[in-house]
Amino acid sequence: MNLLKRFEDAPNGPNGSGHDGGRGGLNSRLNGAGQNTPVNGAPPSGSIGAPGRYGGPPEGGALAARTALAGGSALANSRDASFYDLKRKVQNALITELDPKLDLSATAQVRRTIEEHFNRILEQQGITLSRQDRNRLFEAIAAEILGFGPIEPLLSDDNVTEIMVNGPKMVYVEQHGRIYRTDVRFRDDEHVMRVIDRIVSPLGRRVDEASPYVDARLPDGSRVNAVIPPISLIGPVITIRKFSKTPLTPDDLVRFGSLTNQMVEFLDACVRVRLNIIVSGGTGSGKTTLLNVLSSFIPNDERIITIEDAAELQLRQEHVIPLESRPANIEGKGRISIRDLVANALRMRPDRIVVGECRGGEALDMLQAMNTGHEGSMTTVHSNSPRDTLSRLETLVLMAGMDLPLRAIREQIASAVHLIVHQERMKDGSRKITNITEVLRMEGDIISMQDLFVFEQQGIENGRVTGRLRPTGIRPSFVDRFELANIHLPPSVFGYGDANWRG
């Protein structure tokens, strides 16, 4: 992107004065709330260092968390106005001094260059600022050039797990499983559009009136969805689901209370003996994070092919081939769907196929792969319960356009799927695995299932959901595969005593 376009205050903007975007990014660091949002990306001082998407609500309640991210007063707003003018003045001077051909990919070098010009401009124009305000002004300007403008501090904050831009004047975040409004602002719709363009352009994607919504990802793998007018009635809307810079581990999920050590031991064994697993749950329940954790159990000597709409999985194995679908171009041609990639992956000699999410006809191809020698495959499906997952799979297979009888589809599902791991987002914002369910066989026209682990909610204390994750005491039918693979799980994993297990 042209360097000048990264400045929202460029003098060639509309009405001759340009756009003072990034107002909220600078405002939030100058008023009372901004003092809790350091420009170096550290968590707000009002934040509690609790777990992110899997943790419960922050200590101190919603008010404390909201104070950490939002606020403001008439006095702060008056101070903001003078800072916007100063920011625009310094940016305009920077525009004239910086080389338009500056390679923005060399972040460290560009940052040093900007800082040198920034300091010289302040000195030449006799601008005196406190050290704190000087740093904040520099960071706000640098974010417009090297980052994503006003939302850059939120992207840098590890406690923020989701960012929702509802037009230029309303920005919400999810923190510790709860949603709060911030005081971050964009100048206008065009400023939001510039940030969207900055996100999607490197991926070869586009968003315009002809194609007013797009899925994309940030360089760190965070998932991005953007919707613009005419289908959005409040202006451009951005939804960013952040992922941890370091993938969550099974130990992290145990610490957050999402699952138990016994469940981790069991799921590890299931992955290693190549059971076909479906991770199910509602929107925002943590399916992709859990799929990432399950994928970490895959042995390092296997060839893994991942297929996603926007690459989000962070597999640490050596032999991983990530594939990403592609939307149609401006002429309506060149679309590569998830289903196309699943069919092609079968020709790439995979040991495992991991599909980020099945939401259409690719479910049929995925079942075919599971039934034709590609065991150990995994995917996610949106559903409300393990039983509902099977119904969803039936519907998705029918979306493939094949005129298959319902019984044939159910037989395919019963034969292909071994295990369903269902996860839910609880009322307090925490995520928990509520069912680990074995898919058994066809009994008449119904697929029989049995729960191996369940979450029993016992109540709510101090706003936190309380309960326990426990084994049901049922011995899975595939336990013999563990023995053949020399994996010996203690009987206590399934809620058995030694005598019962031997019996």
Side-chain angles (χ1 to χ4, degrees):
M1 176 181 290
N2 188 298
L3 179 61
L4 301 185
K5 291 183 179 179
R6 288 181 174 260
F7 286 104
E8 73 278 8
D9 296 332
N12 59 349
N15 304 321
S17 61
H19 303 283
D20 185 10
R23 298 177 62 165
L26 185 56
N27 294 355
S28 63
R29 297 191 291 269
L30 295 177
N31 58 23
Q35 293 172 1
N36 292 321
T37 311
V39 295
N40 60 6
S45 60
S47 301
I48 306 299
R53 299 185 61 205
Y54 280 78
E59 296 177 12
L63 181 59
R66 182 176 284 106
T67 302
L69 285 172
S73 64
L75 177 60
N77 290 335
S78 65
R79 294 181 60 203
D80 292 342
S82 61
F83 254 89
Y84 302 154
D85 292 339
L86 176 59
K87 181 168 175 277
R88 180 167 53 248
K89 180 179 179 181
V90 174
Q91 286 187 174
N92 291 345
L94 271 172
I95 290 173
T96 62
E97 293 198 12
L98 291 175
D99 182 0
K101 298 180 181 179
L102 202 61
D103 181 10
L104 299 177
S105 62
T107 305
Q109 181 180 346
V110 173
R111 188 178 177 87
R112 285 194 299 269
T113 301
I114 295 171
E115 190 168 12
E116 291 171 4
H117 287 290
F118 174 81
N119 291 331
R120 184 165 59 251
I121 290 169
L122 293 186
E123 183 178 349
Q124 290 173 349
Q125 299 191 9
I127 300 173
T128 303
L129 295 172
S130 68
R131 181 187 224 172
Q132 186 181 28
D133 287 347
R134 188 186 187 104
N135 288 338
R136 288 169 179 167
L137 178 61
F138 170 74
E139 292 293 342
I141 294 174
E144 293 294 340
I145 302 173
L146 299 172
F148 297 101
I151 60 174
E152 186 65 28
L154 302 178
L155 290 169
S156 302
D157 188 341
D158 291 337
N159 286 323
V160 173
T161 52
E162 198 134 3
I163 302 169
M164 293 149 277
V165 179
N166 301 349
K169 304 303 182 185
M170 290 192 297
V171 179
Y172 290 83
V173 297
E174 180 190 273
Q175 190 179 32
H176 308 294
R178 299 287 183 86
I179 295 177
Y180 306 104
R181 183 173 179 176
T182 75
D183 65 345
V184 172
R185 302 287 187 275
F186 289 80
R187 171 62 178 176
D188 52 25
D189 286 355
E190 188 175 343
H191 188 196
V192 184
M193 287 297 299
R194 275 196 289 272
V195 172
I196 293 175
D197 185 56
R198 200 177 302 174
I199 293 171
V200 303
S201 293
L203 304 177
R205 302 195 175 189
R206 63 186 177 85
V207 58
D208 50 37
E209 287 190 6
S211 179
Y213 57 89
V214 65
D215 288 316
R217 54 182 163 78
L218 297 181
D220 65 359
S222 297
R223 180 194 307 170
V224 180
N225 176 268
V227 181
I228 68 171
I231 62 174
S232 170
L233 304 182
I234 60 172
V237 174
I238 308 174
T239 308
I240 301 175
R241 178 167 296 172
K242 292 171 56 182
F243 291 94
S244 174
K245 294 180 177 62
T246 56
L248 293 179
T249 65
D251 291 340
D252 292 327
L253 299 193
V254 172
R255 190 172 71 254
F256 299 160
S258 296
L259 71 172
T260 63
N261 285 314
Q262 290 81 4
M263 294 164 73
V264 170
E265 198 173 357
F266 172 70
L267 291 173
D268 182 12
C270 290
V271 172
R272 284 194 283 158
V273 300
R274 304 178 68 85
L275 297 184
N276 295 322
I277 301 174
I278 292 181
V279 177
S280 63
T283 299
S285 61
K287 297 185 298 298
T288 301
T289 299
L290 180 57
L291 182 63
N292 219 35
V293 169
L294 294 179
S295 299
S296 69
F297 298 141
I298 299 175
N300 196 48
D301 60 351
E302 295 190 14
R303 178 177 169 89
I304 310 166
I305 297 179
T306 67
I307 301 172
E308 301 174 85
D309 272 328
E312 302 171 60
L313 294 174
Q314 299 171 292
L315 273 64
R316 297 303 187 189
Q317 289 86 345
E318 179 180 340
H319 201 164
V320 179
I321 298 91
L323 302 179
E324 189 176 67
S325 65
R326 187 180 71 183
N329 59 23
I330 196 170
E331 298 175 350
K333 301 178 180 178
R335 178 175 181 266
I336 307 294
S337 67
I338 293 287
R339 187 175 186 187
D340 296 330
L341 294 178
V342 171
N344 187 76
L346 300 178
R347 307 184 186 99
M348 298 175 66
R349 200 264 175 216
D351 288 313
R352 310 260 186 164
I353 298 175
V354 180
V355 177
E357 181 181 346
C358 281
R359 56 166 69 100
E362 63 271 8
L364 175 60
D365 299 277
M366 193 67 183
L367 292 175
Q368 297 278 30
M370 292 175 172
N371 276 324
T372 54
H374 297 90
E375 288 194 327
S377 298
M378 292 180 275
T379 188
T380 70
V381 171
H382 275 83
S383 68
N384 296 323
S385 68
R387 174 62 63 183
D388 186 46
T389 301
L390 299 183
S391 299
R392 280 276 295 156
L393 281 174
E394 294 172 11
T395 302
L396 296 177
V397 169
L398 291 172
M399 291 173 65
M402 305 291 289
D403 189 18
L404 298 173
L406 193 57
R407 181 176 178 84
I409 295 174
R410 290 178 178 175
E411 287 176 347
Q412 284 282 315
I413 294 173
S415 174
V417 180
H418 298 115
L419 203 66
I420 296 174
V421 183
H422 187 76
Q423 183 154 299
E424 292 184 11
R425 175 175 174 167
M426 315 306 287
K427 290 183 178 180
D428 63 355
S430 62
R431 278 81 170 173
K432 296 185 185 298
I433 293 177
T434 57
N435 300 81
I436 297 181
T437 304
E438 180 186 7
V439 179
L440 294 171
R441 66 190 73 82
M442 288 288 294
E443 292 184 359
D445 290 330
I446 302 297
I447 302 175
S448 60
M449 310 166 70
Q450 61 182 13
D451 286 331
L452 304 178
F453 295 86
V454 296
F455 173 72
E456 292 181 343
Q457 182 173 337
Q458 297 171 339
I460 297 180
E461 295 181 4
N462 300 321
R464 301 290 301 271
V465 171
T466 60
R468 67 187 185 115
L469 295 156
R470 67 169 184 85
T472 60
I474 297 176
R475 185 177 188 267
S477 63
F478 49 74
V479 74
D480 292 342
R481 296 179 66 161
F482 297 158
E483 303 294 332
L484 292 175
N486 201 30
I487 298 173
H488 304 286
L489 296 180
S492 58
V493 168
F494 302 100
Y496 274 86
D498 288 339
N500 291 336
W501 183 256
R502 293 192 185 96

